[in-house]
Structure formats: C-alpha cells, structure tokens
C-alpha cells in the first residue's frame, strides 16, 4: 500500500481513540467535534477491517488488533514529532518546556527537592508536573501523557516495556517516635509484631508487601491507613504508632 493513498492525519486520531477509548474524550483531546472524531473512527474501521473499539456495558474496549496497534502507533507519532519538532539546539537557560512525571510523593521529596535550586538556576523556564502513580502508568507513558515514571525496579521489570535504569537505592526501616517507650535502638521480630502501625494503602505502588514482611517473620497489625505515602511519618510524634518507610525519607523527615 502506498502512503500517498492514506490520510496520515488518521494516525493522530487513532492514537487518541486507542488511548481514551472514548469518542468524546478523544475529540476533546484533539480539539475537534465529536462528529469529526466519529467520522475518523469510521474511516479507521474501514481501513483496518476491524471495529477497533467495541462496547462492553457502558464502556468501549479495544479489540485484540487495537491492542496490538497501541505501541506501533505511539512510536510512529513519537518519531514524527522528533523530526518535525526538532530544534537546532536546546538551551536550558532560554527554552521553555513542561515535563510530567509520575512518582510517589516520597520520590518527589528525596529526589526532586534537592534539585529544585539547580533547576531554577539552569532552566528557569522549565515546568514540572508531578502526578501520583496510577494503575495505567504504562499506557500513559506509551501515549505521551506522561514523560517519565519513577517506580520500584521490580515493577518496572514487570510492567513497563521501555528502557529503564536505576536512579537510586533505598531500604525500608521501622520508624517510631524517638520517645517511644517500647522501642530502643533495635527490635526483634516479636517486638515488631507487638507494635501498632499506620500504613500507606493508596495508589498502585505499595512500599512493602506482606511477602516482604513474612520473610522477616513479622506480622504487621495495621491500626490506621492513609492514601498518602508521606503522611504516616507525620502521625508518629507523641504516639506509640509505628510505620515502615524508606530510609532516605525517614532521615530527611527526622
């Protein structure tokens, strides 16, 4: 098939439809009317001889062919953008750019916070939007909705089919108020099991799993949960509560 016989603008519409799985949202994303997006979907269905999106209940789901197209379509558009939007050079002191990063708020504190002063000096027009990690982070990274995802390596190996590399390492530690009457400089598994815990329970990335704790022969009785990764440490002062937190954040908050 010759490319001259294909409207390549349909690739942009296809990317929006495959990402949003909703004609109205895809139209809003492309700043066009819903009838125009419906017309594009009809052309795409005819071209691929496949419905691409099928209704299941109130929602539209991708067909197997549509699922297979998500990656190649995003890669094709990314390559086109790299060619058409290429600038002669990048000057961080002058260029304006916006980056969206998905990461736990813990990462924002221990990784991004120390860089803010340098970023302000070297790239004063740079804008960074931090978002919590969501279940579909791989799809959002693939579609270009986010520019970077920072998550534990074990999740990256399993769920993100993109190049990735370690940024830093950390370990989990038991944290209590410095005046906790039942905890000294070290604790046994039996002592750790006897404590009452406040724990993070929201989002996609869990800081430590039951399997990790079982390996230490520790059962954690959780008394309070929060959907914020950093809040548990803030609730410990003056209480007998405990939490399990990354060491870097625990020391930065002490």
């Amino acid at each position: 098939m010759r490319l001259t016989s294909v409207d390549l603008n349909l690739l942009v519409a296809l990317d929006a439809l495959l990402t949003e799985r909703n004609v109205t949202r895809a139209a809003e994303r492309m700043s066009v009317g819903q009838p125009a997006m419906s017309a594009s979907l009809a052309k795409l269905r005819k071209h691929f001889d496949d419905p691409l999106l099928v209704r299941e209940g109130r929602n539209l789901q991708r067909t197997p062919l549509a699922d297979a197209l998500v990656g190649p379509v995003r890669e094709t558009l990314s390559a086109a953008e790299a060619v058409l939007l290429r600038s002669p050079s990048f000057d961080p002191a002058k260029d304006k750019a916006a980056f969206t990063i998905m990461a736990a708020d813990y990462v924002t504190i221990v990784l991004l916070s120390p860089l803010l002063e340098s970023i302000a000096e070297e790239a004063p027009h740079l804008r960074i939007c931090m978002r919590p990690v969501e279940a579909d982070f791989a799809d959002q990274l693939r579609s270009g909705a986010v520019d970077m995802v920072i998550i534990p390596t074990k999740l990256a190996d399993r769920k993100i089919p993109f190049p990735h590399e370690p940024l830093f390492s950390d370990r989990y530690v038991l944290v209590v108020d410095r005046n906790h009457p039942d905890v000294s400089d070290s604790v046994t598994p039996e002592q750790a099991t006897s404590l009452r815990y406040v724990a993070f329970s929201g989002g996609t990335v869990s800081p430590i799993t039951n399997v990790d704790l079982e390996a230490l022969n520790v059962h954690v009785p959780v008394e309070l949960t929060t959907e914020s990764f950093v809040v548990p440490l803030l609730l410990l002062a003056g209480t007998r509560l405990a939490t399990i937190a990354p060491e870097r954040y625990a020391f930065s908050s002490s």
Side-chain angles (χ1 to χ4, degrees):
M1 178 178 292
R2 295 176 60 87
L3 287 178
T4 53
S5 66
V6 180
D7 180 2
L8 295 181
N9 287 318
L10 288 176
L11 279 178
V12 183
L14 179 58
D15 179 57
L17 287 163
L18 295 180
T19 301
E20 298 295 342
R21 286 176 283 186
N22 182 286
V23 175
T24 300
R25 290 199 301 268
E28 292 174 351
R29 178 172 176 158
M30 291 188 58
S31 299
V32 300
Q34 183 173 337
M37 184 57 67
S38 295
S40 294
L41 177 58
K43 292 178 181 178
L44 289 164
R45 283 171 166 168
K46 181 178 180 180
H47 174 81
F48 288 104
D49 191 24
D50 186 271
L52 300 177
L53 296 174
V54 294
R55 185 166 297 281
E56 291 186 8
R58 295 184 177 182
N59 302 314
L60 292 176
Q61 301 297 329
R62 294 191 294 254
T63 64
L65 174 61
D67 274 333
L69 290 172
V70 171
V73 168
R74 185 63 252 168
E75 292 169 6
T76 299
L77 291 178
S78 295
E81 290 170 355
V83 172
L84 298 175
L85 302 180
R86 184 185 297 272
S87 59
S89 62
F90 174 70
D91 185 349
K94 297 180 180 179
D95 287 6
K96 297 180 180 180
F99 297 97
T100 300
I101 302 174
M102 268 193 181
D105 39 11
Y106 145 72
V107 173
T108 303
I109 292 171
V110 302
L111 184 64
L112 182 61
S113 181
L115 298 176
L116 291 180
E117 185 175 350
S118 296
I119 292 173
E121 292 179 357
E122 298 180 20
H125 305 294
L126 184 70
R127 291 186 293 114
I128 298 176
C129 174
M130 300 297 298
R131 291 174 49 189
V133 179
E134 299 175 0
D136 63 343
F137 59 83
D139 285 341
Q140 294 199 47
L141 184 61
R142 183 183 294 109
S143 70
V146 297
D147 300 293
M148 180 184 295
V149 176
I150 304 176
I151 56 174
T153 304
K154 61 183 179 181
L155 289 184
D157 290 340
R158 188 178 75 248
K159 301 193 70 172
I160 298 187
F162 303 106
H164 53 273
E165 61 182 77
L167 293 179
F168 62 91
S169 61
D170 206 348
R171 65 173 184 166
Y172 293 105
V173 294
L174 176 68
V175 186
V176 297
D177 180 72
R178 67 176 67 252
N179 297 315
H180 197 292
D182 303 321
V183 177
S184 58
D185 292 338
S186 63
V187 294
T188 65
E190 291 76 19
Q191 288 176 311
T193 299
S194 68
L195 299 172
R196 298 176 302 150
Y197 287 82
V198 54
F200 165 77
S201 65
T204 300
V205 182
S206 175
I208 190 165
T209 66
N210 290 332
V211 175
D212 297 323
L213 292 172
E214 288 173 1
L216 299 174
N217 194 30
V218 174
H219 170 69
V220 174
V222 176
E223 181 170 301
L224 176 65
T225 61
T226 171
E227 293 188 359
S228 169
F229 199 100
V230 301
V231 165
L233 263 68
L234 304 178
L235 300 178
L236 301 182
T239 75
R240 293 193 176 193
L241 291 171
T243 193
I244 296 172
E247 186 175 30
R248 287 172 180 260
Y249 174 59
F251 275 92
S252 69
S253 303
S254 61

